[in-house]
Structure formats: structure tokens, C-alpha cells
Amino acid sequence: MKKGIILAAVMSVFLIGEAQAGGPITVAPASGTSSAWASGDISLSPEGGTCGSFTRTEMITKIETNVAYWTDVSGISLTIILDTADITDDVTSCNYTDYYVDSSDDAGLTDSINPVIFDDDAEIVAELFGSGNQYVVLGFAGPDGFTSNYETMVDGQAFFNCRCLSGNPNGDCPGGITFSEDDLNFTVTHEIGHLIGLDHTQANQALAEAGCNDAVAGDCDDIPTMYPQSVDPADQISPARDDEVAILSLYGLATMNAASCTVTGSLTDARGRPLRCMDVQATTSNTADTITYVSGSNAVYTDSDSDGYSDDDGECTSSCGAFTLRGLSPSKTYTVRARPVDADWISGSSVGPCVHGQLTGVQVETLATITSGTCVAGATSAQGTISTSSCGGDISAASGCTGTTGDFDGDGDTECCSGDAAGVDGSSTLVRALTDDEDQSVEVQAGVTLARALLGTPLDNILAAATCSTSSSSSTSSSGCSFVKNTFSSQGSWVSIFLVLISLGGLYFHRKKKSCS
Amino acid sequence: MMKFPRLLFIFFILSLFLPRQSLAWSTKPLTLNQMVTLSHLIFKGQIVDVTREDDAYESGQIVSFVTYLVKPEDCIKGSCKDGKVVVKQLAGGPTTSALTPGQHFLVFYPENSKLGLVAPLGFDQGLMRMTKEGENWKIPALSKRPRLAKDPNFISGSRAATKVLNENDYESFKQIVSGLVEEQR
């Protein structure tokens, strides 16, 4: 039975929507509905150990205090309780796998235990993300179990890094790195935010970029709690309006909508295609009012290339450029702008759904102005389809362009919008070569979906193709069909190397558990 | 006789719940000095291939990995002499799906963990997507990195912080990073 469950679980990971910015961390792919906990009643189970110089009792108090920043949001229907009897073990790098990603475990999905782990010596962070990251990563968290339609979360986890807290018995961290108590408090609020369903936001990023002074209370109050970095933690602990709208969208939508205005619309790029991954912001003259939404966040997806993610070419099937800005005050005047998502945030901090190719050739544009009194409480201001001048894919030199040309980066010159037909990847020469020749894309099928073959991921699937075309982007080798990408070769031996390493990783896990048992 | 229906019931209940990690992080912003200190490997390179694997190991837990094959083009710290870098990273979010073959990055990697896993230092901080303008490679403006912007003493020696903060030319930035690597030897 267990094997069957695991297989089902493995298959199921290919179905879910991706994390969103300024909103839900997961979305049900078939409906585009944001995932949330069922009853708004969540139980957290703190571990039995300490966090640096903070005792377990002190940590429990910290969790209670900082969780209240979410549960005290006006209009929210969310209760978080702590069950301190569930985990009495001191969780370390030797036993954390008893709790971490336990959702495929028979018990893990039904035990109602959502572990909160204090990584006292950062051995867990170091083990999962590399040694140097134990001094950088403050914590990580998120849901890890869902009902079959992914609309409801049933399991989650949170880890707090205690290594560089002052007074940690493990000693000072290199480079003068220290985590303050404010950092810890911010981490608790931020990571529990992930566990209950929130993702990162880049609202008011300019404030963070301008630099905040840790010593000045209130100078960066408007940097959201769900901003990916601890820039000014004392000011980031309490949720900004953008955070409040995000959490109310999950646990207080009707109440929020009744008291506020909603602005909707759908973006298209210069070629008339849905424009995903634009950070749509409603702003006033007061940065405290900023509300964000990434276009396409609640789109309906498929995972046509079976890579477990839903942000590649052609995988968005409807509402791909749609945006919904909730929680606007009817008495204020807002400017609605589209901005590119910062490339910094999509490589590790899950502002999305984006791939890097979507981030070039996009421009800041004003989409609408919502003047005071024009959008009353409980109403929706529908902006319809808005055509932008952004490319929505990689741009390149105009010479030899077979696609759309225009000044996509606003520099006064003409560029080529070189994203492929679906317009959301634009990643490599291979992609474009294949999409230029439909006959070739048929030849690399061999049980593999077209999108997967187009992206060349994984490479061994392409190598296993039965035939090989004679186009300039491919060549025949003794191992079958291999493709020459750009200026370098994708060699079969390299594939072997990382497959071997994957196997070694599994062996490491095996050894690790044995050495700690 | 009673056992089979009970197992069937349990199977039914469990089939209603599906696992899927959706982890997200928070990080402490680093100075450039700290990034160089904590990095085991710093290089400019191009992603050659990306592969995702879902492994079920002994406890039945599922762990997803994404493996990147990267071709180093300019090694600033550490050894790139093999001409390739294999990076195995824990999956669980769009961390990995955002990266596709053909893209160029300047990356700061810490040492691999005992499990062979690694992620760019500070995730976003240690992964800078590069673009080419004519013959010159560009990196994102460093002024967008909060800690660097707010700490005028983030870089040692006589180089002016303001110059670095506004610098997005790769060759210039490389000289600065290389200088820090030398100083820290």
C-alpha cells in the first residue's frame, strides 16, 4: 500500500501550481484557487529543544507572540494553536528527517503534526543548502501536504535557524555575521506566514533598496513582513497592508471584499499574448497603502513537460495574464502600475510564477488610475484587457529578427522580442530551433511531451529519441540523438556524471540516518 | 476478514491527501566581503542542463532534487578546472524552475553539504543573472542589494563603495571580487 501511496504522491507533485508573490504560496492547478488550511484552525508543534540562548519555553512564547501578528489582522478567520506535547525530542541534524517532509509517510499526513523546528546549530540548514548558508538563511517553511485538488493544506513545517543568535553556545559566526533577537522574531512571523499559505512580495522594494536603519524604529515600517530578506526586522515584524490583503484573501476574503474595492484586469504583451509575471501594484502617495499581485498568479495550469513545475511554455491554460488587486480603500486614489518582477527574487525566494526569460524586455507602465470614490466598498473595477508594450520574453538584437520588433527595454533602440511561440521561456537556442521546425519536434517525441523535448529537460529523454533530424541544431551520435546547444556540446558523459551524483545523494541520506541511529 | 476493509478505508483516506513541498525562505542580507568569505566557489558560467528527480528513500519520505550542470567560463574563487560544475539543489519551490539552459550567471556557492546539496549563497544574493550588451557582460546593479547599499564599509581596501554600488560591468566587478579573494587568502 505504501508504495502505491508514494507513487501517487510522486505523480501528484507534477500537478500543483507554483508559488505566487504578494499572495498564496500554492495554487490549485485545475481551478486557480489559492491553497489554504481548511478551517482556518491550525496546530503548530514546537520541538523540545532550545534555540541558541532561548529556552523552549521562551521560544513557545515567541511563537505565540509573533503568530498573533497574523491572527490579530482585522476581519481574519484564523486560529493558530500550539501543541507542545507532540514533539518532545530535541530535533537535530540526526533526527530531523523524522519530521521533515514527512507528508508521504502514512502517519505524516494524518497525525496533524506541523513541526516547528529550532535549528540550534544550523546543521539542518547546512545539510540542505550547503555549509555557508547556515550563516545566511534565517529560516524556511511551507505547506507540504494537500487534499487531492490542492485547494486545502493538510500538513506543513517551519524551521528557524538559531546559529548566529548572540549567545549561541556554538560560538561566533564568520564575517561578523550575527542574528539579532529582532531577526528571530521577524523569522518566526515570516516563516509561519509561509506555513499558513503566504508567499513573498516585493511591495515597497524601493524602501529596502534605499536602506533602512536598524536603530531607527519606524523608518521602514512599510517593508512587508513577507519581503524575502530581513532588512529592518523590528519594523518588518508587523504586517504591512500588502501582507494583510494576502492573508485576508485566504482567511477573510468576504469580509475584506465587503469593506474594500477590487480592481481586476488582464495584461497582454506587445504581441497580444497574455503577459505573465508582471508585478502589478496599486500605490498611493503613502507607501503604507501599497498592494501587489503578480499577473497570472491564479491562472489555471497544466504541467505539460512533467518537470513538476507549472511555469514553462504553454503550461498556463487560462487567466494567464490576469490580475486581481484586493483590499483597496474606496476613499483613496490609487495608481495601478505594472513592473517587472525583480530577477533577484525568482531564483530562491519564490516570487512568481516566473522564469528568468520573462523578466527581460518588460517595462514599468501605468495601467489605470482608481480615483477616490469611483470604486466603492464591495465593488469591482474591471479594467478589462490591457495591452502593454512589454515583450514578455527575452529580447535580442533586431538584426535577423523573425518575430516582433520594438523598443522593449525603453532605450530608444529597436530590439527583437525573441521569446518563443508561447512567449514565456525564451531560454535557449535549442528552444527556438525546435519551435521553428515542427517536423523536428515530432521526431523527438518517443513518449515524451513536446514541451519537455523543447526545453531539453531532462537531456537523457532527448538522447533516447529514436531518430534525429538533419537540422543545424542537432547531430547524430553513437548514443542516439544528441543536440548541440549554442556554442557547447551536451555530452552524454555529463549526463552520466550527474545521474551518478543523484544516486550518491541517496546513499548519503542512507548513511546519514544510519550514523545517527 | 475485518482487516481488509480497514486497510481499504485507510488507503482511501490517505489517497485524499497528497504531499508537495512548497518551501520558502528568509535570509540575512550579506556584505560583499561576507559573500566572498562564505563562498567556496565563485564563477561566471552558463547553465547547460537542468534535471529534476524525485527520490523515495528508506523511510518512504519523498525528497525532490534539481540538478544543474553548469559550464564555468570564468573562475574567480575555487577550482573550476574540470570544466563543469554539478549543482544538486533541494527542490520545493520555483527556485529551480526559474533557471533554464543557456542562461548565464555569476554565482557564489558555499561548500556542498554532507548530502551533496548546495544552493547559491543566500539564494538570491549569490545568483546574479548576467546579460550581454554588445561585447560586455553586465550584472544586476549592486545598489539593489540592501545590505551593500546601507553599509558603506562593506568592502575593504581603498576602493570606494559608491563606485562599486553603481557598478554593473562584469569585468569591473570581477576585479573587485578577485581583490577581495586575494585579501582573504
Side-chain angles (χ1 to χ4, degrees), chain A residues 56-292:
Chain A
R56 186 190 191 223
T57 302
E58 289 171 328
M59 285 303 295
I60 288 170
T61 301
K62 275 192 180 304
I63 295 169
E64 289 172 337
T65 301
N66 291 297
V67 155
Y69 284 111
W70 296 121
T71 55
D72 287 351
V73 170
S74 177
I76 202 166
S77 176
L78 173 68
T79 304
I80 299 176
I81 59 172
L82 299 191
D83 190 333
T84 57
D86 279 339
I87 305 176
T88 55
D89 292 343
D90 179 5
V91 179
T92 68
S93 59
C94 280
N95 61 354
Y96 76 97
T97 53
D98 293 342
Y99 305 97
Y100 176 64
V101 287
D102 64 345
S103 54
S104 66
D105 207 349
D106 287 6
L109 285 173
T110 54
D111 62 4
S112 299
I113 295 178
N114 303 306
V116 178
I117 306 301
F118 316 140
D119 192 5
D120 193 43
D121 54 7
E123 285 282 325
I124 300 172
V125 170
E127 199 159 283
L128 295 174
F129 306 118
S131 59
N133 274 318
Q134 67 183 295
Y135 311 114
V136 191
V137 177
L138 293 167
F140 60 98
D144 55 59
F146 301 84
T147 53
S148 57
N149 62 5
Y150 288 101
E151 291 184 1
T152 305
M153 299 170 184
V154 298
D155 206 55
Q157 57 194 338
F159 286 67
F160 307 144
N161 182 357
C162 313
R163 174 64 179 86
C164 298
L165 287 167
S166 58
N168 190 300
N170 294 293
D172 294 337
C173 292
I177 296 170
T178 57
F179 299 164
S180 66
E181 187 170 355
D182 284 336
D183 281 322
L184 178 59
N185 289 328
F186 159 77
T187 303
V188 172
T189 311
H190 181 102
E191 298 307 332
I192 297 302
H194 286 315
L195 193 151
I196 60 181
L198 299 183
D199 196 21
H200 290 143
T201 177
Q202 67 176 55
N204 291 331
Q205 185 177 19
L207 289 178
E209 289 171 358
C212 303
N213 189 340
D214 293 354
V216 177
D219 67 330
C220 282
D221 267 352
D222 300 332
I223 296 179
T225 302
M226 296 314 293
Y227 193 78
Q229 291 183 335
S230 177
V231 179
D232 199 350
D235 290 338
Q236 286 178 260
I237 293 173
S238 56
R241 181 58 180 162
D242 187 62
D243 298 308
E244 292 179 347
V245 169
I247 196 73
L248 287 169
S249 295
L250 300 180
Y251 306 103
L253 182 61
T255 304
M256 176 174 66
N257 283 348
S260 60
C261 163
T262 300
V263 177
T264 62
S266 185
L267 304 182
T268 60
D269 65 18
R271 291 174 283 192
R273 306 169 314 168
L275 183 60
R276 298 177 64 194
C277 193
M278 291 294 280
D279 195 40
V280 183
Q281 299 197 348
T283 60
T284 71
S285 55
N286 185 349
T287 52
D289 296 326
T290 303
I291 296 166
T292 64

Side-chain angles (χ1 to χ4, degrees), chain B residues 47-81:
Chain B
I47 297 178
V48 177
D49 221 317
V50 184
T51 302
R52 180 187 168 111
E53 293 287 334
D54 290 290
D55 294 350
Y57 60 104
E58 66 181 76
S59 67
Q61 296 166 324
I62 292 174
V63 176
S64 301
F65 305 106
V66 177
T67 303
Y68 303 99
L69 189 62
V70 186
K71 180 188 179 188
E73 297 170 334
D74 199 357
C75 204
I76 301 174
K77 181 179 181 182
S79 173
C80 308
K81 60 185 179 184

Side-chain angles (χ1 to χ4, degrees), chain A residues 16-30:
Chain A
I16 194 165
E18 277 310 314
Q20 325 302 323
I25 195 166
T26 49
V27 169

Side-chain angles (χ1 to χ4, degrees), chain A residues 379-404:
Chain A
T380 295
S381 175
Q383 301 297 312
T385 300
I386 302 172
S387 177
T388 74
S389 54
S390 289
C391 167
D394 277 342
I395 57 173
S396 58
S399 59
C401 182
T402 57
T404 305

Side-chain angles (χ1 to χ4, degrees), chain A residues 18 26 97 100-101 103-104 127 133 136 138 141 146 148 175 183 191 200 307 309 311 344 348-349 457 459 488, chain B residues 16 18-22 24-26 28 34 46 49-50 52 58 60-61 84 90 93 96-97 103 113 122 124:
Chain A
E18 277 310 314
T26 49
T97 53
Y100 176 64
V101 287
S103 54
S104 66
E127 199 159 283
N133 274 318
V136 191
L138 293 167
F146 301 84
S148 57
D183 281 322
E191 298 307 332
H200 290 143
D307 67 349
Y309 298 101
D311 49 10
D344 284 354
S349 291
T457 308
L459 186 60
F488 53 87
Chain B
L16 298 177
L18 299 174
R20 205 290 187 187
Q21 281 183 288
S22 287
W25 302 265
S26 54
K28 186 82 173 169
Q34 290 166 339
Q46 184 178 31
D49 221 317
V50 184
R52 180 187 168 111
E58 66 181 76
Q61 296 166 324
K84 58 185 174 294
L90 195 71
T96 45
S97 62
Q103 294 173 336
S113 77
D124 321 292

Side-chain angles (χ1 to χ4, degrees), chain B residues 17-174:
Chain B
F17 302 113
L18 299 174
R20 205 290 187 187
Q21 281 183 288
S22 287
L23 296 177
W25 302 265
S26 54
T27 58
K28 186 82 173 169
L30 296 175
T31 67
L32 190 57
N33 253 332
Q34 290 166 339
M35 289 178 68
V36 172
T37 299
L38 297 177
S39 293
H40 180 68
L41 194 58
I42 303 172
F43 65 91
K44 167 184 171 289
Q46 184 178 31
I47 297 178
V48 177
D49 221 317
V50 184
T51 302
R52 180 187 168 111
E53 293 287 334
D54 290 290
D55 294 350
Y57 60 104
E58 66 181 76
S59 67
Q61 296 166 324
I62 292 174
V63 176
S64 301
F65 305 106
V66 177
T67 303
Y68 303 99
L69 189 62
V70 186
K71 180 188 179 188
E73 297 170 334
D74 199 357
C75 204
I76 301 174
K77 181 179 181 182
S79 173
C80 308
K81 60 185 179 184
D82 291 340
K84 58 185 174 294
V85 176
V86 180
V87 180
K88 186 177 178 185
Q89 190 168 327
L90 195 71
T95 308
T96 45
S97 62
L99 308 179
T100 49
Q103 294 173 336
H104 287 80
F105 290 90
L106 173 63
V107 286
F108 294 69
Y109 276 119
E111 196 168 1
N112 284 10
S113 77
K114 289 177 285 187
L115 302 180
L117 298 172
V118 72
L121 191 65
F123 302 121
D124 321 292
Q125 297 174 72
L127 185 75
M128 304 178 185
R129 189 187 182 196
M130 304 183 69
T131 54
K132 199 168 188 180
E133 293 183 11
E135 294 301 309
N136 301 318
W137 285 102
K138 302 289 183 182
I139 58 174
L142 293 179
S143 56
K144 293 172 69 64
R145 293 166 192 274
R147 185 63 179 174
L148 300 184
K150 71 192 265 193
D151 184 356
N153 300 313
F154 78 93
I155 190 165
S156 60
S158 58
R159 290 173 291 272
T162 50
K163 179 179 184 300
V164 179
L165 291 175
N166 295 321
E167 191 63 72
N168 68 347
D169 176 70
Y170 167 67
E171 289 300 329
S172 302
F173 183 66
K174 176 189 165 186

